[in-house]
């Protein structure tokens, strides 16, 4: 018979899965979703797509905020008390989940999109503004359909410890999919955005009541708060 002992486990930090905690109700308060978009153009299709998503979310009884990145400084080019940085961080703390909508530029998400994400810290005053919250990712393309931006956004979502839902939206030739007034035309691409927003709400409802527990990690329970802080804030990285 194989050896079933686990001498390397720190027993005081090791916990069995707690089903009652996993099944904690999400509560009756409306879900709060923050939507970010990645272009400052006057006619920004990533913004128009985010606004369509926000309309659908409100039909699903969700409280939404759409952040305007205009005026947000580049990361490290201003102090954290900059008004736009403070606005973004307060909204990130307020939110139960996120929608990230980016154009694809040069085969990647835009710098504007990345700058917003980079200004949201992993830890802020003892609070992790993204950990355990939900995320939906979307992108628009000027040409044929691609998934480069949403794939990169998924990597960032994992790094930010967000629960990124399986579904996503990618709209090719976005200039053909919106009317002059900025509203999206009926199409399978619009239907997919509805799918994504519905799924985001469902996952947020399932996880909001136990999100801290879902990302409670054994490896961190055996470290002190000081050790965790030193590890995630290494100057040499």
């Amino acid at each position: 018979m194989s050896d079933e002992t686990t001498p390397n486990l720190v027993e005081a930090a090791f916990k069995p899965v707690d089903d009652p905690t996993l099944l904690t109700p999400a509560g009756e308060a409306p879900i709060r979703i923050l939507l970010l978009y990645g272009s400052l153009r006057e006619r920004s299709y990533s913004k128009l797509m985010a606004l369509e998503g926000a309309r659908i979310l409100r039909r699903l009884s969700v409280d939404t905020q759409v952040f305007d990145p205009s005026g947000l400084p580049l990361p490290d080019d201003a102090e954290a008390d900059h008004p736009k940085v403070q606005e973004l961080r307060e909204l990130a703390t307020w939110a139960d989940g996120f929608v990230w909508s980016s154009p694809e530029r040069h085969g990647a998400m835009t710098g504007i999109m990345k700058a917003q994400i980079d200004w949201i810290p992993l830890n802020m005053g003892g609070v992790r503004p993204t950990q355990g919250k939900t995320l939906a990712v979307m992108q628009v393309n000027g040409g044929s359909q691609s998934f480069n931006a949403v794939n990169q956004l998924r990597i960032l979502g994992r790094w930010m410890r967000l629960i990124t839902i399986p579904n996503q939206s990618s709209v090719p030739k976005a200039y053909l999919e919106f009317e002059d007034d900025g509203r999206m035309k009926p199409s399978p691409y619009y239907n997919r955005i509805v799918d994504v927003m519905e799924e985001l709400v469902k996952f947020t409802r399932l996880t909001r009541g136990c999100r801290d527990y879902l990302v409670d990690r054994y490896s961190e329970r055996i470290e002190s708060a000081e050790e965790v802080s030193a590890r995630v804030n290494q100057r040499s990285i």
Side-chain angles (χ1 to χ4, degrees):
M1 184 176 179
S2 61
D3 185 355
E4 298 296 328
T5 62
T6 52
N8 293 335
L9 278 179
V10 178
E11 294 297 336
F14 185 70
K15 300 177 181 179
V17 174
D18 183 359
D19 285 347
T21 301
L22 280 175
L23 300 175
T24 300
E28 296 302 320
I31 289 170
R32 299 177 296 196
I33 300 294
L34 173 62
L35 298 97
L36 307 180
Y37 58 90
S39 170
L40 298 180
R41 289 177 176 173
E42 183 176 352
R43 186 170 172 83
S44 164
Y45 294 108
S46 65
K47 178 180 179 179
L48 295 179
M49 185 160 66
L51 293 176
E52 290 292 351
R55 293 183 184 101
I56 297 162
L57 289 170
R58 288 192 289 271
R59 287 292 308 274
L60 295 168
S61 301
V62 172
D63 190 357
T64 66
Q65 293 285 340
V66 181
F67 178 71
D68 178 2
S70 181
L72 182 72
L74 289 173
D76 302 325
D77 197 35
E79 297 298 324
D81 60 0
H82 187 283
K84 290 297 291 189
V85 176
Q86 285 296 301
E87 178 189 354
L88 175 59
R89 291 184 173 188
E90 288 170 7
L91 287 171
T93 302
W94 164 87
D96 296 312
F98 300 84
V99 175
W100 293 348
S101 174
S102 179
E104 181 174 309
R105 184 173 296 168
H106 297 161
M109 79 179 78
T110 61
I112 294 164
M113 190 78 240
K114 183 63 160 57
Q116 293 174 80
I117 298 167
D118 284 348
W119 269 121
I120 303 172
L122 292 173
N123 193 298
M124 186 173 63
V127 176
R128 286 171 170 159
T130 56
Q131 178 165 276
K133 297 180 180 181
T134 51
L135 169 66
V137 296
M138 306 193 296
Q139 73 170 79
V140 292
N141 306 278
S144 59
Q145 191 169 45
S146 168
F147 301 96
N148 291 330
V150 287
N151 287 339
Q152 292 175 329
L153 291 171
R154 285 186 176 279
I155 291 171
L156 284 171
R158 183 178 70 231
W159 186 258
M160 301 298 285
R161 296 182 172 183
L162 289 159
I163 301 168
T164 307
I165 67 170
N167 215 338
Q168 61 187 26
S169 172
S170 174
V171 178
K173 297 182 180 179
Y175 57 89
L176 297 177
E177 298 301 326
F178 291 85
E179 303 285 4
D180 290 342
D181 63 0
R183 296 306 305 271
M184 196 169 184
K185 300 174 183 178
S187 71
Y189 299 121
Y190 178 82
N191 295 345
R192 173 59 69 91
I193 294 174
V194 178
D195 289 347
V196 172
M197 296 304 106
E198 283 185 340
E199 189 170 292
L200 177 64
V201 172
K202 292 173 184 177
F203 272 79
T204 307
R205 290 288 297 172
L206 282 172
T207 60
R208 183 173 66 171
C210 60
R211 66 182 176 220
D212 291 336
Y213 178 68
L214 286 171
V215 290
D216 179 39
R217 299 179 175 183
Y218 166 79
S219 60
E220 292 181 354
R221 291 197 297 271
I222 62 175
E223 292 182 282
S224 67
E226 291 80 8
E227 289 171 329
V228 172
S229 179
R231 175 169 53 78
V232 300
N233 292 292
Q234 295 179 61
R235 294 289 183 181
S236 60
I237 293 179

